[in-house]
Amino acid sequence: MADRIYDTRPREEILALPHFAPFVTAPRIDEIGLRELRTLDAFLVWAERQGVQMPSVEDFLTFSADAASTRKLENLRTALDRIAPEGSVIRQTVRDAIREKRPRSRSCDRRPREEIIAGAHFAPYRDVTELGAVPLEDIRVLDRFLIFAEARRVELPSVTDFLRFAGDAGSSRRLRSLKSALDTILPGNPAVLLTLQAAIRQKSPEKKARPSRPRPAARHRVPHSLLPPEWRQALSAMRAGEDVGGLRPPAESTLKNTEEVLREYAWIMIDAGLPVAITIDGVRRLEAVRTQRSQARSEKAYQGQGDRPATRHTAVQRIRAFAQHLGLDLLLISTLQAHENWLRRALGRVVPLKFAKLDRLPDLAATWALAMRLREESQQATRRQSKLRLLNEATVIALWTLLPLRLADGRLRWGRDISWTGLCYRVDIDTQKADVAISGRLHERLTPFLDALVLQGVAPAYLEVMRTNAIAEQSPLFRDTTGNMLASGQPSKVWAKHMGTGAHISRSRVHTELGKLGLEGVNAALAISAQMDVRSAEFYQGQAVAQARMARGQDMMEGLLDEAEILENMN
């Protein structure tokens, strides 16, 4: 069977197509889901090729002939309901096509809107202005639910109540139609945004995870199994958190990088027909081979990759540290240490690549304005997916500007990492870096962003309840519409999308901006980014380092933000 071709284009790309020109100004086009939009795009392309001007039932049936179900037509119906006027012929035609494709024994509700709304159970909502914006199809589902709830004396529907209402349906479509109606007439109601959404998740079939493609074997590294037995044993012990050679194990990320360097080193030694052992000659071979490979790369963007001063220094540092864990000859270790120190001094003569990216970053005022704009756009978004996406992006930019976390430390949870004191939010993170923690109040500039994350689109009147629940349940700070935590790499994706480079650059900017304020600024930068390496201070400021408070660092960044905003307003 041929592989299915999936449409992965974003909505912006689809709406930019010429055949969407007559519809992009439709008031409700933003309410069309991405799946329905892609189906509408396929239909418009098909109709143009077939020369169809006013589609008939037969045209709709021909378009969906390759599908056994009515899903295509139902997607079209949903899309056309958003862009075609009420009572238009095409809206009725697509419904007739759906009925003809899948005849039903039960009778359809053909009552007009006025007759449905006249029912006694619609009395509490009849004067709601937004009721007129609810499509007739959703009005019919809402009518059925109100009758269902009244018969069972349901006042505050639970997940079970919603599931019972859709018990005779095989899909979650009825519940999604109900949610569309309730979202319109009861915006921000937690019973809709949380309870009904949870019922929809339970009613929807589980998505089958796409089988991940196995990562291709590294061309210039041996597999772990070919490392010497004593190396494998030491790595395994360190991975388990045990001391090796009387020394504490490194952080998980450092250990992972150490193993990669050792596997590359072993490959070079085996390729040269030499025994796999840490020697001065072996380290020289490693550096020579890396230089040859980097010079052989044809693409300019990749020239020098793997052979830059910082990369060479890190590789020697990892090998030297591992030699110490193994308890190798002290003369060997001291020689490697001397070479490592020489490489470190060479770093001062080279401008790191990250500073070229740092120079291209928007300034602090522009960065904060971007975070504010994204948060405002999230408040205006009508679709919950868009609302949460924009809100997550806004908070990531704001939080990483004032508190530049490592990605491994960014998987935050309410109650565990972020808490509420009654006056402000507080952060308490045990970072991935040994013996370094981030603890203290969060600046009040972040409060509106964190409040919005707590609410998840619910009306502000429910802030206290939502915050208490999130902290008690230790809900993820950054989550999708299903409540699941976003991937650890999401902050970098957000920064790359809006700033042109990953979130790691925020740490360099904090060091650079606060470093301009002297020793106190350097101290604050080290504290705010959970950095304890004295060499980092020397690099950015060239002075000895003393411990500083994280809160002072945020206040100093606040001052820089205010100054940047004032200067921007003057220009």
Side-chain angles (χ1 to χ4, degrees):
M1 187 175 81
D3 292 338
R4 294 180 62 181
I5 299 175
Y6 292 92
D7 187 351
T8 58
R9 295 172 299 165
R11 64 186 304 114
E12 294 78 11
E13 182 179 340
I14 297 174
L15 290 174
L17 295 170
H19 50 259
F20 269 98
F23 311 111
V24 291
T25 57
R28 302 182 61 199
I29 194 167
D30 289 338
E31 298 177 23
I32 301 177
L34 185 55
R35 181 178 62 189
E36 289 82 3
L37 191 66
R38 288 168 175 165
T39 305
L40 179 59
D41 172 58
F43 176 74
L44 293 176
V45 171
W46 177 89
E48 187 175 354
R49 289 174 179 171
Q50 302 298 320
V52 174
Q53 298 293 327
M54 179 58 69
S56 63
V57 171
E58 289 72 22
D59 292 325
F60 282 121
L61 292 175
T62 303
F63 168 71
S64 63
D66 60 336
S69 73
T70 58
R71 172 63 66 86
K72 268 190 175 182
L73 296 180
E74 289 171 348
N75 289 345
L76 271 180
R77 179 191 65 191
T78 301
L80 292 172
D81 281 350
R82 303 300 189 268
I83 61 174
E86 182 84 24
S88 59
V89 175
I90 194 171
R91 291 174 63 166
Q92 184 59 46
T93 304
V94 71
R95 284 165 169 76
D96 292 339
I98 292 173
R99 281 192 290 271
E100 187 164 332
K101 188 172 181 69
R102 187 176 62 191
R104 297 174 182 262
S105 57
R106 60 181 175 83
S107 59
C108 295
D109 186 355
R110 297 186 179 278
R111 293 175 298 161
R113 174 188 294 269
E114 295 73 17
E115 183 179 341
I116 297 174
I117 295 176
H121 45 275
F122 261 99
Y125 312 104
R126 201 172 293 135
D127 295 331
V128 176
T129 306
E130 291 78 6
L131 186 61
V134 180
L136 180 57
E137 194 72 22
D138 296 341
I139 283 285
R140 288 167 177 159
V141 175
L142 177 60
D143 175 61
R144 292 178 61 184
F145 177 73
L146 293 176
I147 295 172
F148 168 89
E150 186 177 37
R152 290 160 180 77
R153 299 181 180 178
V154 174
E155 295 183 359
L156 187 62
S158 64
V159 172
T160 303
D161 293 323
F162 286 125
L163 291 174
R164 284 176 180 167
F165 169 65
D168 61 332
S171 72
S172 61
R173 187 169 189 83
R174 186 185 302 172
L175 293 180
R176 286 187 280 115
S177 180
L178 176 63
K179 182 178 180 298
S180 176
L182 292 176
D183 272 340
T184 304
I185 63 175
L186 298 174
N189 190 295
V192 179
L193 291 178
L194 304 179
T195 311
L196 180 50
Q197 185 64 44
I200 291 173
R201 285 200 301 271
Q202 290 191 31
K203 188 72 176 176
S204 303
E206 290 188 12
K207 293 182 179 179
K208 294 182 179 179
R210 293 183 182 179
S212 58
R213 294 182 179 178
R215 186 176 180 178
R219 289 167 47 191
H220 303 298
R221 292 183 193 142
V222 301
H224 176 83
S225 59
L226 291 184
L227 292 176
E230 61 272 19
W231 291 16
R232 297 200 306 270
Q233 184 178 357
L235 290 170
S236 178
M238 286 190 282
R239 199 173 290 112
E242 300 175 10
D243 291 353
V244 176
L247 301 172
R248 296 182 59 181
E252 182 180 350
S253 58
T254 302
L255 182 58
K256 181 179 178 181
N257 180 246
T258 298
E259 182 175 339
E260 290 175 349
V261 172
L262 292 174
R263 288 170 54 200
E264 182 182 4
Y265 179 87
W267 181 88
I268 290 172
M269 298 298 282
I270 293 173
D271 186 61
L274 298 172
V276 180
I278 296 177
T279 64
I280 300 301
D281 179 67
V283 173
R284 287 173 178 163
R285 285 181 180 276
L286 171 67
E287 293 182 330
V289 170
R290 282 187 165 192
T291 300
Q292 292 172 4
R293 283 206 301 260
S294 67
Q295 293 175 350
R297 291 187 172 94
S298 57
E299 294 185 41
K300 185 177 180 181
Y302 295 101
Q303 289 176 357
Q305 188 180 58
D307 193 43
R308 297 186 179 105
T311 310
R312 290 200 302 269
H313 170 262
T314 300
V316 174
Q317 185 183 52
R318 299 289 186 256
I319 293 174
R320 187 267 308 161
F322 191 69
Q324 287 181 305
H325 281 286
L326 294 179
L328 299 184
D329 182 67
L330 292 178
L331 179 60
L332 168 66
I333 293 174
S334 63
T335 305
L336 290 175
Q337 181 72 67
H339 185 50
E340 179 186 337
N341 292 338
W342 182 85
L343 289 171
R344 185 183 302 124
R345 288 192 295 273
L347 290 176
R349 299 191 293 270
V350 179
V351 178
L353 291 177
K354 62 183 177 182
F355 282 100
K357 297 178 181 178
L358 188 60
D359 291 340
R360 294 194 295 268
L361 275 185
D363 61 25
L364 285 172
T367 300
W368 198 260
L370 171 63
M372 295 287 288
R373 177 174 60 80
L374 290 172
R375 183 166 65 87
E376 291 170 2
E377 288 179 6
S378 75
Q379 296 170 347
Q380 304 301 322
T382 55
R383 300 177 67 248
R384 188 161 185 259
Q385 291 90 335
S386 300
K387 182 184 291 289
L388 293 187
R389 175 182 57 78
L390 290 167
L391 182 56
N392 282 325
E393 291 180 359
T395 309
V396 161
I397 292 174
L399 183 61
W400 260 258
T401 296
L402 291 181
L403 191 67
L405 300 170
R406 297 177 179 86
L407 291 183
D409 299 325
R411 296 175 66 80
L412 305 174
R413 288 186 177 273
W414 295 106
R416 186 192 69 183
D417 306 302
I418 306 292
S419 57
W420 174 251
T421 67
L423 297 174
C424 65
Y425 286 103
R426 177 181 175 84
V427 61
D428 294 281
I429 303 174
D430 292 327
T431 70
Q432 296 294 313
K433 192 155 189 174
D435 299 327
V436 182
I438 297 178
S439 182
R441 68 168 176 83
L442 286 172
H443 200 280
E444 54 267 21
R445 275 183 179 256
L446 295 173
T447 299
F449 295 91
L450 296 175
D451 283 348
L453 278 185
V454 163
L455 287 168
Q456 291 285 291
V458 172
Y462 299 95
L463 175 60
E464 290 297 331
V465 175
M466 295 291 290
R467 184 160 51 206
T468 301
N469 290 342
I471 290 174
E473 297 171 2
Q474 293 197 353
S475 302
L477 189 70
F478 300 110
R479 42 187 159 161
D480 58 19
T481 56
T482 67
N484 293 324
M485 180 181 287
L486 298 180
S488 60
Q490 187 64 20
S492 262
K493 290 182 180 178
V494 170
W495 273 68
K497 174 182 177 181
H498 294 285
M499 314 290 279
T501 186
H504 64 281
I505 202 67
S506 64
R507 300 172 64 78
S508 299
R509 178 157 70 177
V510 163
H511 278 288
T512 301
E513 295 293 340
L514 293 185
K516 298 173 185 176
L517 304 181
L519 178 60
E520 186 184 7
V522 173
N523 295 339
L526 295 179
I528 206 174
S529 59
Q531 176 63 259
M532 62 184 295
D533 191 349
V534 176
R535 290 191 300 271
S536 294
E538 293 172 344
F539 186 83
Y540 288 95
Q541 182 68 19
Q543 299 184 22
V545 179
Q547 187 175 6
R549 295 177 182 175
M550 188 196 75
R552 176 63 177 148
Q554 291 184 94
D555 288 338
M556 295 173 80
M557 287 296 290
E558 157 81 359
L560 289 173
L561 271 171
D562 289 340
E563 182 180 344
E565 289 171 350
I566 291 171
L567 291 174
E568 184 169 288
N569 291 334
M570 291 174 60
N571 293 333

